[in-house]
Amino acid sequence: MGIIVHEHSGVFHLQNRELSYIIKIMPNGQPGQLYFGSAIRDREDYPHLLERGHRDMAPCTFDGDTTFSLEHLKQEYPSFGSGDMRYPAYELERENGSRITYFKYKSHSVYKGKPALKDLPAVYTESEEEASTLELHLEDEVIHTELILRYTLFEELPVITRSAAFLHHGTEALRLTRAMSLNLDLPDSRYDMVDLAGASLRERYVDIHKLHQGVQSIHSMRGHSSHQYNPFIALKRENTDEHTGEVIGISLVYSGNFLAQAEADTMGTVRVMAGIHPQGFSWPLKAGESFQTPEAVMVYSAKGLNYMSQVYHKLYRTRLARGRWRDRERPILINNWEATYMDFDEEKILAIAKKAHDLGIELFVLDDGWFGKRDDDTSSLGDWYPNLEKLPEGIKGISEKIADMGMQFGLWFEPEMVSRRSELCKARPDWILGSTDRPLCCGRHQYVLDFSKEEVVDYIGSRMEEIIKNSRISYIKWDMNRSISDLFSAGRDREYQGTVYHRQILGVYKLYERLTQAFPHILFESCASGGGRFDPGMLYYAPQAWASDDTDGAERVKIQYGTSYVYPLSSIGSHVSAIPNHQTFRKVPLFSRAAAAYFGTFGYELDLNLLTEKEQQEVREQVRFMKAQRCFLHSGTFYRLESPFEGNEAAWLVASTDGRKAIAAYFRFLQPVNIGYSRLKLAGLDPDLEYRITEYGSPDAGGPASGLGPEVRSEAVGCENARLCPYTAYGDELMSIGLILSDYANGVRTSPVPQGDFQARLFLLEAL
Ligand code: DGJ
């Protein structure tokens, strides 16, 4: 187990209990890919897996050997101009314009642990025993350039992380125009590609389609990972479902432009790659310079999609997210955005905060509109000075008043942007990305600051630091509300322009690093016009991310369901908002809005003073429930049970690692008529344990007050509207037969099934 090196045969076997990944140095000196899948026994060599075949027309490496053609060999990091006709993993251009390179194996090293990637977010280890790393050192002797392919194998998780680095030791001026983080050649293409696609307000919908000959890809060329696609794909077998079957996940730890593609070729194989999008990318490599790609994280699951997601959740929650907040209970917050938008003053804010505090909410977040002259979105980004007309004592004053109430205080920033109407824009037009001899694209009346320039990052960092230092801030929402369009860095030369997309995101990472180091007590939540930058790169700095500006309780079920393919519940920013919902105009019951939000970080985004007494009481209950269960919900194992993309219902569940406790949520979108029987098959339980089942009632559906069954002590479950179901069941029954959802079982009314559209039900299962 671990990384086994067979020097003689040139075989490298990365093996743990769940997976094997086998590389072999091929006769031409390049690393070939032999196998990636369930763990197999280790052997000195697997010569038969280096499949070759004579094909007319195929460009061959060795004259006289018509079987060795890179066109048909499975490789680790294929190049252009080598006989391989598929997409290359990288392209390096020489001074004379040639893009032909030949990197051959030179040496390797294997060591315990995992190195950090300079200036880039990456998964880490806490002890050297958790993982081991293989570095393959390849060299192109003509241009004197080294290529390091890095693989880290986790001991206890079916995870391999990968990246590539180019180190130029020669004298020629080179240009790297493509550098994928990962290439994976698989021997057959009988897969479905899974990705998370969408748009603003409907981010990360699950998208599954069968691979066919040709290239199928997802990408972002917007300068951020985007609402449209997430930097994640998976290849699953046709009959793989949530609970069974084979799937390979690939997730890119990067927040900028990306490309992830699967190229199914005519020979029935598939080449998968992921990395920085080559469009507009061109990185000069002069003597002594290097380039490190972002990291890609591969997960292998032989136990379906749920297991793949659970592995990502565990890894990203505990070995990607960092800092003090990684393992802490997340505060239940109230955000004023949908309550007031930018129309607020101190009095309004304090009234909302006070009510929130009365109801048990812990953190008040002041959103957009507190600075410059910002009363609408046409001005003031970049002018990070409090608006004293709205907040006479500034951020210092309001944060202290809220702290005095016994609440924490959080603040919104949009550091990467500048409004067209702002003092900063007037003073430093040269800090804006774009070409000033042409009209600039404006998005939400704002421009993008050139974060590839150190002085710009420094200036914004100092402004933010000043405000943070002088106030009592314990949370920051870091927003980003437009894509990068007219990319150009003023005052920089031609060569520099091809580096700007990447440098821009490096600048964002740098500022995050500076602020998270300087203020370790602050909880950061990333945001990009909703969920436009919900990616692993961001999670390295901000352990939670606002999932979407769509706060509708029903839409959220879909968005959070898709998000859960990769991201842990503790990272999914989720709020209960007002009805009619501001995005969909729907009226989802308060109970259902909260039921969706519990499976995320949880908070509120509405004016609580406008709720009725009864609703406020319900909110108090919800807060109490979440306080009692958040630790469990955020650290338990999440299972998707029913997909909202396949019908009128959805369901999911969180189980404790020992299977003794679970909380399941069931959502039904539209009210059917003359409803039939219905059961929900659970997962993650111990088949041999007997479970007590408690349903948290919606007050609208009649809770304990309806007198339908024995009530449970509210402290035990953190909710007054909770009642015991009149039966217990064993784990095997609940997983094979299911939880009875219809309202009568054996003549006994099992539950007051809520009626109407957009209903939710919540069940607690505890082993007796
Ligand atoms: C977009 C965010 O997603 C919202 O939550 C809010 O913060 C607005 N920006 C403020 O402009």
Side-chain angles (χ1 to χ4, degrees):
M1 296 275 170
I3 296 175
I4 308 158
V5 180
H6 297 287
E7 302 265 359
H8 186 64
S9 55
V11 165
F12 299 87
H13 188 169
L14 286 68
Q15 180 200 49
N16 67 20
R17 270 195 293 276
E18 295 182 75
L19 66 79
S20 279
Y21 188 94
I22 306 176
I23 302 164
K24 180 181 167 69
I25 306 303
M26 302 189 294
N28 69 341
Q30 292 183 341
Q33 155 58 223
L34 296 192
Y35 174 73
F36 181 34
S38 298
I40 57 165
R41 74 185 57 243
D42 181 53
R43 291 171 68 183
E44 167 68 28
D45 199 1
Y46 306 82
H48 55 293
L49 292 183
L50 198 66
E51 284 170 284
R52 315 179 188 188
H54 167 81
R55 315 221 191 264
D56 290 331
M57 298 281 298
C60 296
T61 307
F62 308 109
D63 194 12
D65 179 353
T66 57
T67 66
F68 196 93
S69 167
L70 292 176
E71 182 175 356
H72 302 298
L73 282 156
K74 296 184 284 296
Q75 299 157 65
E76 283 302 297
Y77 207 66
S79 59
F80 167 82
S82 60
D84 191 329
M85 301 298 163
R86 293 162 288 180
Y87 273 93
Y90 70 96
E91 277 190 281
L92 198 51
E93 197 180 289
R94 297 180 60 186
E95 261 171 16
N96 66 3
S98 161
R99 288 176 291 135
I100 301 166
T101 54
Y102 194 163
F103 282 95
K104 279 192 198 170
Y105 169 81
K106 187 92 180 149
S107 65
H108 67 268
S109 54
V110 174
Y111 50 90
K112 291 259 168 230
K114 180 175 191 297
L117 298 187
K118 192 172 173 301
D119 303 328
L120 282 168
V123 165
Y124 59 89
T125 54
E126 283 204 330
S127 92
E128 293 218 318
E129 305 314 310
E130 287 177 7
S132 33
T133 299
L134 164 70
E135 282 183 5
L136 293 180
H137 294 254
L138 317 179
E139 193 186 2
D140 184 314
E141 288 168 350
V142 176
I143 51 173
H144 304 289
T145 304
E146 199 182 343
L147 166 61
I148 302 177
L149 302 181
R150 201 172 277 128
Y151 304 79
T152 295
L153 170 74
F154 276 74
E155 294 290 325
E156 299 296 336
L157 289 172
V159 170
I160 294 177
T161 64
R162 295 185 49 185
S163 70
F166 291 83
L167 284 64
H168 187 33
H169 307 299
T171 49
E172 260 189 64
L174 305 175
R175 275 203 311 159
L176 193 58
T177 54
R178 180 183 183 92
M180 291 291 127
S181 299
L182 153 156
N183 180 86
L184 177 64
D185 285 358
L186 295 168
D188 75 82
S189 55
R190 293 186 303 276
Y191 289 98
D192 292 343
M193 179 165 143
V194 183
D195 57 75
L196 303 172
S200 169
L201 303 175
R202 51 179 165 81
E203 297 91 336
R204 295 174 299 285
Y205 276 21
V206 177
D207 182 32
I208 302 179
H209 48 267
K210 192 170 281 311
L211 285 188
H212 55 82
Q213 188 179 323
V215 175
Q216 288 110 91
S217 68
I218 58 160
H219 69 273
S220 167
M221 295 192 292
R222 296 165 186 269
H224 55 111
S225 49
S226 89
H227 303 86
Q228 286 71 12
Y229 291 109
N230 198 257
F232 160 79
I233 56 171
L235 294 191
K236 74 168 193 69
R237 296 298 184 183
E238 189 181 359
N239 49 11
T240 295
D241 59 21
E242 289 291 359
H243 309 285
T244 58
E246 200 180 33
V247 55
I248 294 170
I250 292 171
S251 157
L252 189 68
V253 187
Y254 191 56
S255 313
N257 286 352
F258 75 92
L259 172 70
Q261 71 179 38
E263 181 180 6
D265 76 356
T266 52
M267 296 300 158
T269 70
V270 64
R271 167 167 291 175
V272 193
M273 53 179 70
I276 293 179
H277 202 300
Q279 173 66 37
F281 172 81
S282 167
W283 198 274
L285 277 182
K286 300 207 182 71
E289 290 181 347
S290 61
F291 183 81
Q292 170 66 56
T293 71
E295 177 165 280
V297 178
M298 302 195 300
V299 168
Y300 176 77
S301 163
K303 295 183 281 189
L305 289 158
N306 265 325
Y307 185 60
M308 173 200 73
S309 302
Q310 289 157 7
V311 171
Y312 276 122
H313 293 179
K314 186 160 185 198
L315 186 74
Y316 285 178
R317 184 168 60 77
T318 63
R319 295 293 180 269
L320 178 64
R322 299 176 299 165
R324 216 175 271 183
W325 282 100
R326 187 188 76 177
D327 304 325
R328 287 218 177 156
E329 289 190 354
R330 303 297 162 74
I332 296 176
L333 66 81
I334 172 91
N335 177 306
N336 73 308
W337 180 242
E338 287 198 17
T340 64
Y341 295 100
M342 296 185 211
D343 178 18
F344 60 80
D345 56 20
E346 189 175 275
E347 201 185 328
K348 253 195 203 175
I349 292 301
L350 291 176
I352 296 173
K354 180 161 184 334
K355 178 55 73 183
H357 181 248
D358 290 349
L359 298 179
I361 294 170
E362 299 156 310
L363 163 68
F364 179 88
V365 178
L366 182 59
D367 211 281
D368 195 355
W370 57 265
F371 51 91
K373 300 193 178 87
R374 190 148 164 106
D375 292 324
D376 56 37
D377 62 12
T378 62
S379 86
S380 301
L381 293 171
D383 299 344
W384 300 111
Y385 298 90
N387 178 336
L388 298 180
E389 277 169 31
K390 288 184 182 177
L391 305 169
E393 293 166 54
I395 293 300
K396 180 175 184 321
I398 187 97
S399 67
E400 281 168 358
K401 285 181 189 156
I402 285 177
D404 290 345
M405 277 180 198
M407 277 191 114
Q408 300 160 49
F409 178 80
L411 194 60
W412 179 97
F413 283 97
E414 191 172 355
E416 298 145 70
M417 298 292 156
V418 60
S419 298
R420 201 161 49 79
R421 287 203 298 126
S422 68
E423 297 306 317
L424 183 63
C425 188
K426 262 186 250 157
R428 299 309 307 248
D430 55 321
W431 282 5
I432 297 166
L433 275 180
S435 173
T436 40
D437 54 1
R438 298 171 188 284
L440 290 177
C441 286
C442 231
R444 209 192 185 201
H445 314 282
Q446 64 199 50
Y447 301 131
V448 184
L449 284 173
D450 185 349
F451 264 38
S452 79
K453 292 178 177 153
E454 236 175 281
E455 72 261 35
V456 181
V457 175
D458 257 4
Y459 170 80
I460 296 294
S462 312
R463 285 300 324 129
M464 290 175 76
E465 275 180 7
E466 165 115 11
I467 290 162
I468 299 167
K469 270 190 207 143
N470 293 326
S471 333
R472 294 178 62 179
I473 293 178
S474 61
Y475 163 106
I476 284 177
K477 178 173 171 187
W478 180 317
D479 206 346
M480 200 286 289
N481 284 298
R482 68 157 284 190
S483 302
I484 299 174
S485 51
D486 21 10
L487 182 91
F488 177 75
S489 181
R492 298 291 194 263
D493 66 13
R494 189 174 174 181
E495 268 208 333
Y496 185 88
Q497 304 306 327
T499 68
V500 177
Y501 270 131
H502 184 53
R503 284 187 200 275
Q504 177 76 12
I505 205 71
L506 291 180
V508 174
Y509 290 154
K510 194 167 179 195
L511 185 53
Y512 256 118
E513 187 67 25
R514 168 172 166 179
L515 296 173
T516 49
Q517 294 306 323
F519 306 104
H521 68 283
I522 291 186
L523 170 61
F524 282 80
E525 176 158 341
S526 75
C527 172
S529 198
R533 200 160 62 183
F534 199 127
D535 61 59
M538 283 291 123
L539 286 190
Y540 184 70
Y541 304 97
Q544 56 191 60
W546 181 226
S548 177
D549 268 354
D550 194 338
T551 56
D552 173 89
E555 291 303 309
R556 270 307 184 118
V557 172
K558 287 190 194 158
I559 292 166
Q560 291 173 212
Y561 190 94
T563 306
S564 79
Y565 267 59
V566 186
Y567 305 98
L569 300 194
S570 58
S571 70
I572 304 177
S574 53
H575 300 167
V576 174
S577 63
I579 52 167
N581 176 267
H582 295 190
Q583 296 81 39
T584 62
F585 314 106
R586 262 186 210 138
K587 292 183 178 176
V588 173
L590 181 52
F591 182 81
S592 309
R593 280 176 271 157
Y598 293 142
F599 294 82
T601 58
F602 197 71
Y604 293 83
E605 189 161 330
L606 73 175
D607 188 345
L608 295 162
N609 293 299
L610 302 180
L611 298 184
T612 63
E613 267 301 315
K614 184 169 167 252
E615 287 167 332
Q616 290 185 10
Q617 180 53 26
E618 195 176 345
V619 168
R620 188 174 280 118
E621 280 282 294
Q622 292 172 349
V623 170
R624 212 144 68 86
F625 168 83
M626 192 56 183
K627 283 183 181 167
Q629 305 298 351
R630 63 184 154 189
C631 186
F632 165 75
L633 289 170
H634 289 170
S635 62
T637 310
F638 182 76
Y639 290 86
R640 290 176 298 270
L641 302 175
E642 299 268 350
S643 169
F645 299 102
E646 285 167 17
N648 191 34
E649 298 163 320
W652 55 47
L653 165 151
V654 174
S656 58
T657 330
D658 62 6
R660 296 189 65 83
K661 174 179 173 183
I663 294 181
Y666 164 84
F667 304 90
R668 189 187 61 210
F669 298 108
L670 296 183
Q671 166 82 32
V673 283
N674 196 3
I675 309 171
Y677 302 108
S678 135
R679 294 172 180 186
L680 175 65
K681 284 191 185 177
L682 304 185
L685 305 177
D686 182 330
D688 298 322
L689 292 180
E690 188 180 1
Y691 292 85
R692 178 174 48 219
I693 304 159
T694 307
E695 178 160 10
Y696 295 115
S698 153
D700 299 333
S706 63
L708 288 169
E711 292 166 24
V712 261
R713 277 181 21 257
S714 53
E715 320 82 79
V717 292
C719 178
E720 269 167 23
N721 288 309
R723 51 186 299 283
L724 277 177
C725 291
Y727 65 90
T728 62
Y730 279 86
D732 58 355
E733 300 170 58
L734 290 163
M735 293 191 288
S736 298
I737 301 171
L739 194 67
I740 306 298
L741 294 179
S742 29
D743 45 0
Y744 287 91
N746 196 22
V748 177
R749 185 150 194 207
T750 53
S751 61
V753 176
Q755 303 297 326
D757 292 342
F758 311 117
Q759 295 294 341
R761 298 175 68 181
L762 270 183
F763 300 92
L764 168 71
L765 297 112
E766 293 164 300
L768 293 177

